Amino acid sequence: MVVPKLRPWRAARPQVVRIANAVRPRLPGAVTAAGPRLARLTRAVRVRPVHLPRLSRPRTVRTWQYTAGAATAGLALAVGVVTAAGPWDANGQRTAERDRAAALERSGGADHGRSGTAAAPRPAPSAGPVLTGLGGVTSAVGTKKSAPDPTALSDVLKPLLDAPALGDTRAAAVVDVATGEQLYGADAGRALTPASTTKIATAVAALSALGPDHRLTTRTALEPDTRELVLVGGGDPTLTAHARTGGWAGLRALAADTAKELDRRGIRTITLSYDTTLFTGPALHPIGVNDNLAPVSALTADEGRTDDSASGPAPRVGDPAADAAAKFAGFLKDAGVTTTPPGPSRASTRAQTLATVTSPPLSALVERMLTNSDNDIAEALARHTALASGQPASFDGGAEAIATQLRKLGLPMAGAAFHDGSGLDRDDRLTADLLTALLVKAGDPRRPGLRPVLTGLPVAGFTGTLSTRYADGASGLVRAKTGTLTGVNALAGTVVDRNGRLLAFAFLASNTADAAAAQSALDKAATALAG
């Protein structure tokens, strides 16, 4: 039996600790009332924690399956603690949870804002309410009650989405994930600029084309006659040169392993080259030089950032591949290997692979992309989707491949237009119908490989671009991808209502004049769904 790593538990631990600290004062008075519910929750988690295989039918537990299962069980316990703390406010928000959210003092949270940390961001843990709505966990929140009444839902949402802050062009849709029924629609088929909610489409397309267990490999190859060592880029946007890798593929480890292989061959001096031919087309996004995205290359370390940040905008190097190769040469020198100044080349078919490093599974890359609205990962995944679809690994090829994959899934593509994978291109167009259909598809029990699209969505008040939002609203209950460009505000994700129904929603607004006011208006609409 393969024993899985415990990294997903460690990633979820800070959120669980913060929840426990917030609700601890209320627990004594709630234990008696909550006893039966906690007992049912404990039995549910004990019976089906991760769906490990029976001993009589051995098989390998896939990384993404274990991650989702472990995080689900851990966060289910956290949900039980919050439920026990109670009570519910009039608007459906747990008092203890709201108090905890209001006490948070963290910076960041804008769609492309700084995270305030230098450590590599980890995938968001699976929130209990989301998987409860999918029927994956039994808890105090029921799933048997009917979906919200469309008329009542319209009465609640319409005035909120008519807020002047949302400009004069808007669209919205709300869908019951369990049935696929649209409960609310306002110009839901109108194609508008989606901004970073485009990444939901990129995620679904990449997972469909490649699978959640797919990994990206960076390698070194030795040309047998010339003693030329080629650093071959595998298109891994999470490759890092930092000493502490945070679980991502490390350039230092690749250099150390390569040096050992060279030493075994008695080689101390080599000609160093680097190969970026996996990707084609322009490296620079149509927006030009921008702190939100490095030139797209098959070889890059730390997204070409010139500081120690791991997410959000930051100055980037002009040539990420040359920068990564120079750092690699320095690591080889530290290991006793002398190199020439690295230059571009292409590994031949005769070159012998010396060492490799591989990324975490695609499921983890998708979660990091969605949680932190990571444009560099989005553009790399668009190119890998293109390669898997027989298209050129370029901006145009990636855009075409994304659309092709979504058509294969039978999604409503009328009016949709892709020009990149990140949503930075203002000519991208998506509909609220398509965004909610993507989320419903990701929640389909018959497509578990798409589940990272849901588990990667930022959690209101907890993670990524929603970490400082919803402090006085549906903290912990809304999971959504943000989208922000000048004059454009969008929000698309999932929420569990008070009856335990999982709802998918998409709100798009263009021609907004005040980004902060528009963002607040969208948050209020999502909060209303939770209540």
Side-chain angles (χ1 to χ4, degrees), residues 356-394:
T356 63
V357 289
T358 59
S359 72
L362 183 64
S363 57
L365 272 63
V366 163
E367 289 186 330
R368 175 172 167 178
M369 173 187 70
L370 294 172
T371 299
N372 295 292
S373 196
D374 194 304
N375 300 302
D376 299 89
I377 296 178
E379 296 303 345
L381 294 189
R383 280 163 168 73
H384 283 289
T385 303
L387 290 171
S389 306
Q391 298 286 342
S394 61

Side-chain angles (χ1 to χ4, degrees), residues 43-341:
R43 288 195 299 271
V45 174
R46 183 172 61 247
V47 172
R48 295 191 303 167
V50 193
H51 297 289
L52 289 174
R54 298 175 182 175
L55 293 178
S56 59
R57 297 174 57 190
R59 61 183 177 90
T60 301
V61 179
R62 294 184 177 181
T63 304
W64 69 270
Q65 289 174 319
Y66 175 78
T67 301
T72 299
L75 268 296
L77 292 175
V79 171
V81 172
V82 175
T83 302
W88 287 93
D89 288 348
N91 67 352
Q93 175 62 32
R94 292 182 181 89
T95 304
E97 185 175 286
R98 184 183 64 184
D99 292 344
R100 180 213 60 78
L104 287 176
E105 295 181 359
R106 289 184 289 180
S107 60
D111 193 35
H112 296 295
R114 298 182 184 275
S115 66
T117 64
R122 296 184 181 276
S126 303
V130 171
L131 294 178
T132 295
L134 294 173
V137 176
T138 302
S139 74
V141 180
T143 59
K144 301 299 184 182
K145 296 183 180 180
S146 61
D149 176 67
T151 301
L153 191 59
S154 178
D155 291 342
V156 171
L157 283 182
K158 191 176 186 304
L160 295 174
L161 294 175
D162 283 343
L166 294 179
D168 56 9
T169 306
R170 64 199 74 166
V174 179
V175 175
D176 180 8
V177 174
T179 65
E181 177 189 1
Q182 185 176 101
L183 304 175
Y184 176 82
D187 281 336
R190 184 177 186 180
L192 298 177
T193 304
S196 279
T197 59
T198 300
K199 293 183 178 72
I200 296 175
T202 301
V204 169
L207 289 167
S208 297
L210 299 163
D213 292 314
H214 184 75
R215 297 173 187 260
L216 310 178
T217 300
T218 307
R219 66 187 179 98
T220 53
L222 182 66
E223 298 290 355
D225 300 327
T226 62
R227 285 196 174 183
E228 177 188 8
L229 180 70
V230 185
L231 175 60
V232 184
D236 180 2
T238 60
L239 181 69
T240 178
H242 293 313
R244 301 181 65 179
T245 65
W248 309 103
L251 197 61
R252 293 170 186 260
L254 182 61
D257 291 344
T258 301
K260 290 178 183 177
E261 287 299 314
L262 290 172
D263 181 66
R264 194 168 64 84
R265 289 167 170 78
I267 300 175
R268 296 286 187 275
T269 302
I270 52 96
T271 298
L272 180 61
S273 303
Y274 55 91
D275 184 345
T276 63
T277 57
L278 183 66
F279 292 170
T280 60
L284 198 62
H285 191 280
I287 62 174
V289 177
N290 193 286
D291 286 354
N292 286 308
L293 177 65
V296 183
S297 173
L299 176 63
T300 183
D302 301 303
E303 300 180 338
R305 295 172 181 271
T306 58
D307 57 18
D308 291 331
S309 65
S311 64
R316 313 301 181 96
V317 298
D319 188 340
D323 173 70
K327 291 175 179 176
F328 185 73
F331 299 148
L332 285 179
K333 182 179 179 181
D334 293 341
V337 178
T338 301
T339 75
T340 61

